[in-house]
Amino acid sequence: MASEDVVGKSGVTRIVNLAEEAKKASEGVKAPREFDWLTITKSLLAGGVAGGVSRTAVAPLERLKILLQVQNPHSIKYNGTVQGLKYIWRTEGFRGLFKGNGTNCARIVPNSAVKFYSYEEASKGILWLYRRQTGKEDAELTPLLRLGAGACAGIIAMSATYPMDLVRGRITVQSGSSPCQYRGINHALATVLREEGPRALYKGWLPSVIGVVPYVGLNFAVYESLKDWLIKSRPFGLVDDSGLGVTTRLACGAAAGTVGQTVAYPLDVIRRRMQMVGWKDAASVVTGDGKSKAQLEYTGMIDTFRKTVRYEGFGALYKGLVPNSVKVWIILVILVISGICCRVRTRIMLFGIIGITLVRMFGTVQGERSCRAILGTSHCMIGS
């Protein structure tokens, strides 16, 4: 791409051109292939920076989501998105809005590295089986097979970095009134190992794995359905002869992700609650500030689901869904503003980086390939 401004073309026209170039570039991408370690390193660094920026931008909403998921029902402190953010600001100050964000960002590079390697190996294995099954030695991976490889890679990467996610959740819910403070990732990991044993580092792992199936599957199905409907009906002038623009594709990805996460969200609530079980000197938001009715103890995934519905109602399975859904639309707004205000080269980079972040959050395969093509890289890993 040329670095200078393109005179005489509107921002929308430029976005459509980018989408067309991305489409053409993505058609030439084949998997699997040999590692290019320089490209991988650059992609991991770029993904780490992009992921860190995007996670920091929505860190207050992420923290509030977790607080709403695990707070003791007998001692309600956070009651909605706006009230919850105001309460954090009033009681913990500006820094309180970003508590746990450092641990969250620290997971990006290791998660992405494992995910990249796992995706390559899973792609090779699936492609080998597919060629044997079809008898075609020149067969390539279909979108659905790539989706399966991506799901496998996501599960492996999530499992490898899950202990970091567990301590991130606990650090996130700490407040100044917590009886015992984790001082960071290493201290939290060492404390959990010493007081609860190594198995405690994987509390809530099972619902995380189960949630991958509806989450990824619905994302893929809804995204494809939305894209096909827009191309056929052409509503509101969103589609022209060049096809869908980048912004429209990302909006489709965001909508698909919202549907997928809504269906799989109860498993995320169950996971977070299981992570808090057995926590000695737990944060006050979990224990209820010493109220007469203490926090519930859970013995497993089914028990957590049963007790949550019994004592708090079905709606408790969706606590924190609103701030969780708002996150992606905030990033989408940043994307659109950057497309209007930035110069061509900066605009392309922001579209690519923020776009990959969006689709990594919501698992949209086609959108990810388009954004990778915009950046001019074949792999850009941003941890989910």
Side-chain angles (χ1 to χ4, degrees):
M1 289 290 180
S3 59
E4 63 272 13
D5 289 323
V6 180
V7 181
K9 291 187 177 182
S10 66
V12 175
T13 304
R14 192 62 186 164
I15 293 171
V16 171
N17 290 342
L18 289 176
E20 187 66 20
E21 293 174 20
K23 180 180 178 182
K24 292 178 180 178
S26 64
E27 290 173 352
V29 177
K30 295 182 179 181
R33 60 187 184 196
E34 296 300 320
F35 291 156
D36 180 351
W37 293 110
L38 180 59
T39 301
I40 295 171
T41 303
K42 289 180 179 179
S43 299
L44 288 174
L45 290 175
V49 173
V53 170
S54 64
R55 293 185 186 201
T56 301
V58 297
L61 291 169
E62 177 66 17
R63 187 182 183 216
L64 178 61
K65 179 200 77 171
I66 297 177
L67 289 168
L68 288 169
Q69 287 177 331
V70 304
Q71 74 173 336
N72 192 298
H74 307 296
S75 180
I76 301 296
K77 296 180 180 179
Y78 310 93
N79 190 19
T81 304
V82 176
Q83 182 275 336
L85 292 173
K86 288 182 177 179
Y87 185 83
I88 295 173
W89 178 278
R90 186 173 67 253
T91 57
E92 301 181 59
F94 179 76
R95 292 183 63 184
L97 295 171
F98 296 88
K99 186 168 290 184
N101 184 55
T103 310
N104 194 23
C105 292
R107 297 173 50 238
I108 296 173
V109 172
N111 183 282
S112 300
V114 175
K115 188 179 295 181
F116 177 85
Y117 181 77
S118 301
Y119 177 78
E120 291 292 331
E121 294 303 310
S123 296
K124 290 178 182 178
I126 292 174
L127 182 59
W128 180 78
L129 290 173
Y130 181 58
R131 286 174 173 174
R132 285 197 61 183
Q133 186 73 22
T134 60
K136 299 178 180 178
E137 291 301 321
D138 59 344
E140 294 294 337
L141 291 176
T142 65
L144 282 176
L145 292 178
R146 282 197 177 93
L147 186 68
C152 291
I155 291 173
I156 294 171
M158 180 271 295
S159 301
T161 59
Y162 191 82
M164 296 179 70
D165 182 69
L166 180 135
V167 300
R168 192 263 292 200
R170 293 192 176 187
I171 291 173
T172 296
V173 303
Q174 286 185 153
S175 64
S177 60
S178 299
C180 183
Q181 297 282 337
Y182 292 130
R183 297 190 296 270
I185 300 176
N186 292 334
H187 178 255
L189 289 170
T191 303
V192 173
L193 278 172
R194 183 177 66 254
E195 296 181 352
E196 304 174 49
R199 290 185 61 184
L201 294 174
Y202 283 88
K203 288 178 179 178
W205 176 84
L206 182 58
S208 299
V209 173
I210 295 175
V212 170
V213 177
Y215 183 75
V216 175
L218 276 172
N219 284 350
F220 183 81
V222 174
Y223 177 83
E224 287 298 315
S225 299
L226 276 175
K227 187 183 71 172
D228 292 343
W229 176 75
L230 287 172
I231 292 174
K232 290 177 181 178
S233 60
R234 297 175 175 242
F236 312 116
L238 294 174
V239 183
D240 59 17
D241 293 336
S242 300
L244 295 181
V246 175
T247 305
T248 306
R249 287 176 180 270
L250 292 177
C252 289
T258 301
V259 174
Q261 75 173 0
T262 300
V263 173
Y265 192 79
L267 290 165
D268 189 56
V269 174
I270 298 303
R271 169 175 71 109
R272 288 296 176 196
R273 295 192 170 200
M274 291 177 67
Q275 289 178 346
M276 304 298 151
V277 174
W279 182 7
K280 183 182 177 182
D281 298 323
S284 58
V285 68
V286 179
T287 60
D289 287 326
K291 302 292 183 181
S292 57
K293 294 183 179 180
Q295 69 184 102
L296 292 172
E297 291 292 332
Y298 308 110
T299 58
M301 182 179 69
I302 302 299
D303 184 60
T304 306
F305 181 87
R306 180 174 56 84
K307 288 181 177 177
T308 298
V309 174
R310 174 184 292 180
Y311 295 111
E312 301 177 57
F314 185 79
L317 297 174
Y318 287 92
K319 287 184 175 180
L321 178 63
V322 173
N324 192 53
S325 300
V326 169
K327 291 188 303 180
V328 67
W329 297 105
I330 289 178
I331 297 179
L332 190 59
V333 169
I334 295 173
L335 169 66
V336 174
I337 293 175
S338 68
I340 296 172
C341 300
C342 295
R343 294 173 63 86
V344 173
R345 174 176 290 178
T346 307
R347 183 195 309 164
I348 293 170
M349 291 300 295
L350 283 173
F351 268 121
I353 291 174
I354 299 174
I356 295 172
T357 303
L358 270 173
V359 295
R360 272 295 176 187
M361 289 171 66
F362 293 102
T364 306
V365 176
Q366 285 80 358
E368 180 180 339
R369 290 170 63 195
S370 297
C371 294
R372 283 176 177 173
I374 291 171
L375 275 176
T377 58
S378 58
H379 296 90
C380 189
M381 308 302 293
I382 298 177
S384 57

